[in-house]
Amino acid sequence: MITSMKFVFTLIILAVCTSAHAKPAENHKPLPLEVYSALPHKSMLTVSPNGKMLAYRMTDDKQDLFVIVDTVKQKLIGGLNIAEIQPEQVYFINNEQLLFVVSKHRRLYGYQGKYNVNTALIYTIANEKLSPLLRPGDGIATGQTDLGNVIGISTDGNWAYMPALTGKTGAVLRYDLMAVNLQNPGRKPRTHIRGTEDTIDYFIKPNTDQVLARERFNNDDDLHTIEVRKDDKWQVVFQESTEYTKKSFTGVTADGKSLVMLKNSTTQGSAYYLLSLNTGKLSKPLFLKEGSEIAATLSDINRVVAGVRYAGFKPSYAFFDENTQKKLQLIQQELPNSSIYISDYTSDWKKVIFHVEGDGLVGDYLYLEDGQLGHVGSIRPDISWQAVNNVVEFSFKARDGLVIPTLLTIPNSAVNSTEKLPAIILPHGGPESYDTSDFDWLSQYFASRGYLVIQPQFRGSKGFGAEFTLKGRGEWGKKMQDDLTDAVNQLITMGEIDANKVCIVGSSYGGYAALAGAAFTPEVYQCAIAINGVSDIDFMMKNDRDTYGKEHSVIAYWDDVLRTKTLPDDYFETISPINFVDNIKVPVLLIASELDKVVSPKQSSRMYSALEDEDKNVTYVELENEGHNLLKAQSRLKILQAIEQFIGQHNPAN
């Protein structure tokens, strides 16, 4: 019964905390780099629709497998080696098959250069066969990079509905909804419904095979439209004039009468609304939470939305169904200081898979079924809970009075120390993103070496209200950077850190912030490390204009974020660190990923050349066969090896 949950939970958590393979740390001796660079031992946990099977990725230094377990018979029933395909997403598409979404960096016939190409692969458990679903040819246009999106399953379970561009190269292409045979993936897919060249999404009516609505965005006319299928004709129920889409349609309600739409408001924050497909009217805002934002919806394979997950240092949830809400509240009450993430669930919510992190936990998968909890396994079995450095929440006022939420990772070696600590300030990427209090491999590595890790949620971060996010517009290198400087100064004033031992480290936007810190506030830091960071915003924008065209929505978005369309055209030059290498006085480590399609590796190589030309102290490392998100353990190890050598030389801990 659900009333016994507290007792069961206590037993499980005791087992979790004592089952790690590593011994408790003695004299705070740091763990090897390989421990921090390793990928999670268990990840991508998913449950079959009938709740009888669990499948998950199992990774170590010798193998990378995806295994399927029968939870009723308690035995392994299948699996495959996924070292070559490296899936980005995996889920049960029915009780007999798993779907893998994989991305490969490769050439496309008829196009120059290489591209990240997404593909959906279907794995049939019985015959252990892995087959692609949609492939270019047979009417499916060549040259497209996303053929991995499934938006629904037919009522008989035999067909997957997948949108794709159709037509011949050089002709005007349509975005159609295709039906792909799951029992015979090699067969030519059939057109379920025809689209237009500006269609961007489709929605299926629950428990039917009918297309309920389609979403369009016309980049030439700047029109965002929702159309409903009625009497074999498309009727507009929503239309907005906008340079880029500012409303996100994420799924449908269980009754099929409304689409679920996310909209940000400077006065109310982010909330979901229901768009009536009959009247076109919007409901009152749903799931509003003061001081937070909605991070994601929870929806099934047919995109029926059950609820939302809120952003913030620790996730929380809200559901349409009261019973589901109560079930999750009970779990959160038992672990109030931990981060609880829902990984997967059956459509009836009788079985829920989630993983728990934070509050001294290294990370574990649990499941809830019939009011009882079970332990699936540890995410990081080579790290004991005693070796996890504590993460605490902290806040301070920036120079203009804005309160900046912050995470501090405190070294275990410093718990009883009164000395001022060396520090790493670690701004997150995005920048419209946020940090969480979960186990972070880079933060934990630095803390294990004796550094206090500071993660300010500078203005422009998401997760703390739409108004807080919008305060970052037009503030790259300005107030967003001031927030980082103010975090350092606040902790210096409090006597927590040594002013002469602060290094700034970041990836993506955080890499930009690291370079901006070295260029615009060189007196604050002793070194800077930029991983896949932006050094030249003007160069970035020129590349995007060449790729998408001057009038594309991507350009409009970045123009809005970076200079709010009111600042002068040369503003990008004034906030690009590459134009201020003369100011840089500290050693710089640049790390770039060879296959990065988010931030070009040229951003790092050009910065390296500029620094070298001025005889600055700079080191450059390139990660071969790696993309922007650093998904390979060997890449992370190479990063830590470079950092260990660099920081030991230029900002050693005590």
Side-chain angles (χ1 to χ4, degrees), residues 420-441:
K420 295 178 181 179
L421 294 173
I424 301 293
I425 186 159
L426 189 64
H428 61 69
E432 293 186 357
S433 182
Y434 58 95
D435 292 305
T436 65
S437 57
D438 311 333
F439 185 98
D440 175 74
W441 66 279

Side-chain angles (χ1 to χ4, degrees), residues 474 476 537 540-541 558-564 567 571-572:
W476 282 42
I537 295 172
M540 179 185 79
M541 292 298 291
W558 279 117
D559 214 29
D560 205 11
V561 169
L562 288 166
R563 67 180 190 94
T564 63
L567 297 164
Y571 175 70
F572 295 152

Side-chain angles (χ1 to χ4, degrees), residues 88-103:
E88 296 186 350
Q89 187 181 9
V90 187
Y91 54 90
F92 278 96
I93 203 163
N94 52 47
N95 291 317
E96 293 80 35
Q97 295 174 304
L98 285 157
L99 187 130
F100 293 79
V101 180
V102 302
S103 179

Side-chain angles (χ1 to χ4, degrees), residues 16-17 19-23 31 34-43 57 59-60 339 341 355-358 360-365 375-388 436-442 444 636:
V16 167
C17 290
S19 65
H21 297 174
K23 294 180 180 179
L31 297 172
E34 289 81 0
V35 172
Y36 295 102
S37 64
L39 298 180
H41 180 61
K42 283 187 172 68
S43 61
R57 186 178 189 175
T59 310
D60 58 30
S339 296
Y341 292 92
H355 76 265
V356 182
E357 300 213 18
L361 298 176
V362 184
D364 284 84
Y365 279 108
H375 182 227
V376 180
S378 175
I379 297 174
R380 301 174 186 88
D382 293 328
I383 303 178
S384 70
W385 62 272
Q386 295 98 327
V388 178
T436 65
S437 57
D438 311 333
F439 185 98
D440 175 74
W441 66 279
L442 200 51
Q444 288 291 328
R636 294 184 178 189

